[in-house]
Amino acid sequence: MSDGQDHRRAAVAQSMGPMISVTIDSPSQVVGPHWDDLVRRASSNVFMNPAALQAACATDFARILMLLAWEEGAGARKLVGVWALRLRKMAPFWPTVLEALPYNYAFLSSPVVDPAYVNAVIPAFFAAIDKSPSLPDVVSLHDFDAEDPSYPAMLRELAARGVTPLMLSASARPFVTPEFGVKRSGSTRKKLRQDWNRLTALGAVEVVNDRTPAGAEQAFETFLALEKASWKGEEGTALLSDSHDAAFVRRLLQNLAARGEASVALLRVGGEAIAAQVLMYCGTTAYTWKTAFCATYAKYSPGTLLIDKITEELFAGSEVRAINSCAAEASFMAQLWTGRRTMVDMLVDLGPGKSLAYRLEAGRQLGYQRLRSWRDRLRHRPSAPAPKKLSLAAPV
């Protein structure tokens, strides 16, 4: 082969972009060192952490597969993308779909991708799904970050495939950085100062966020007890209300805390914990995953005070540069932070045409969305004014 042919082949390979291969594996912490390297370069999603995924598999909480994108260069291959997908089946005779929220209690479905490779990794992910005989072509994407670089890359690849995603909804999630989003004045800040001062009148007040594995696990039990004693316990939605859920979240917290990637901040008054905030960490982003507080102290807004204080504490260091609320626009965090992140829900079918599985799943999700919309409208409908009582007394 001539030198000219070698140069032409090299030019063609370069024009095609980086060589990306995708492996489909079961969750394992063996990939941990590669993950640690990736999150230093890539977008953040703590719910894709192999340690979290392994917790779901070890407790039979979800059927998860990891799509791992590798750059195949001249030297050692480098991990440039991770996307964990759950195989979900709603009923025995319902078709299986891929759910990009890898397990219940995950609040972000975006893949973790090195931005330098995003335009090669996203097509490679879809190609791997499409070519795998064991994976369904229908992919459900809830809580997808529309401001992540992977989102426009995904829309471009779907358009190139002739696939039009079913856009189910768009929402705004409270999100904050040191530079933008923290309310530093106004009525909210004034109320926080008043609540804090009223609380300190009851006894010594402290915020503790022990990030050691033992400290995090102990504080997590405090959180679980507070949540169980709240209205969630009464309605049966607390994590301790279901033994399967409890086993999973305990393993989840344990696995992440062992890596220094989870902790539980406690607000204490006179040594008693009155509020707890579970925190998770990935790269330079912290996630306010779950919160609970003692109803006895509700008038002091303990959960809000704790979020405010822990936000200040996290940003005082150099490690955390953003906090993702994992919460809806209607949550109390929207009152604390003005920053927002656009989230979308969508459904895609990578196969030719629209399959029966896609049509069934689209109908189910659209129906569920309408039911939720009706429920929310009923909840927020203003009450009719009480009828005026007729008086038979003569006017004075």
Side-chain angles (χ1 to χ4, degrees), residues 298-378:
K299 65 180 180 180
Y300 302 99
S301 307
T304 305
L305 285 175
L306 179 54
I307 286 289
D308 182 58
K309 293 298 182 182
I310 204 64
T311 298
E312 182 180 316
E313 179 184 305
L314 291 173
F315 285 157
S318 59
E319 182 180 347
V320 173
R321 306 309 300 163
I323 304 177
N324 187 319
S325 70
C326 300
E329 171 72 11
S331 70
F332 73 90
M333 292 182 190
Q335 301 171 17
L336 286 175
W337 304 338
T338 59
R340 298 292 184 270
R341 198 83 171 176
T342 303
M343 312 298 293
V344 296
D345 296 346
M346 57 185 178
L347 185 71
V348 301
D349 190 345
L350 300 177
K354 302 298 183 186
S355 65
L356 176 61
Y358 172 85
R359 295 177 189 278
L360 287 170
E361 184 64 16
R364 186 191 70 81
Q365 293 203 28
L366 287 170
Y368 177 73
Q369 190 178 56
R370 290 192 188 100
L371 286 173
R372 287 190 63 181
S373 178
W374 291 338
R375 180 203 64 187
D376 292 342
R377 275 202 296 267
L378 288 172

Side-chain angles (χ1 to χ4, degrees), residues 16-20 22 69 80 113 116-126 153:
M16 293 174 63
M19 295 295 295
I20 303 296
V22 174
V80 292
V113 182
Y117 298 88
V118 68
N119 291 325
V121 168
I122 296 301
F125 277 154
F126 281 138

Side-chain angles (χ1 to χ4, degrees), residues 22 67-69 81-83 111-113 120-130:
V22 174
L67 273 61
L68 305 175
V82 171
W83 201 16
V112 177
V113 182
V121 168
I122 296 301
F125 277 154
F126 281 138
I129 295 171
D130 197 19

Side-chain angles (χ1 to χ4, degrees), residues 264-281:
V264 183
L266 300 176
L267 176 62
R268 294 174 176 165
V269 178
E272 176 191 0
I274 67 168
Q277 177 62 59
V278 184
L279 298 159
M280 297 177 176
Y281 310 92

Side-chain angles (χ1 to χ4, degrees), residues 16-33:
M16 293 174 63
M19 295 295 295
I20 303 296
S21 67
V22 174
T23 58
I24 302 175
D25 301 312
S26 297
S28 169
Q29 294 198 53
V30 173
V31 77

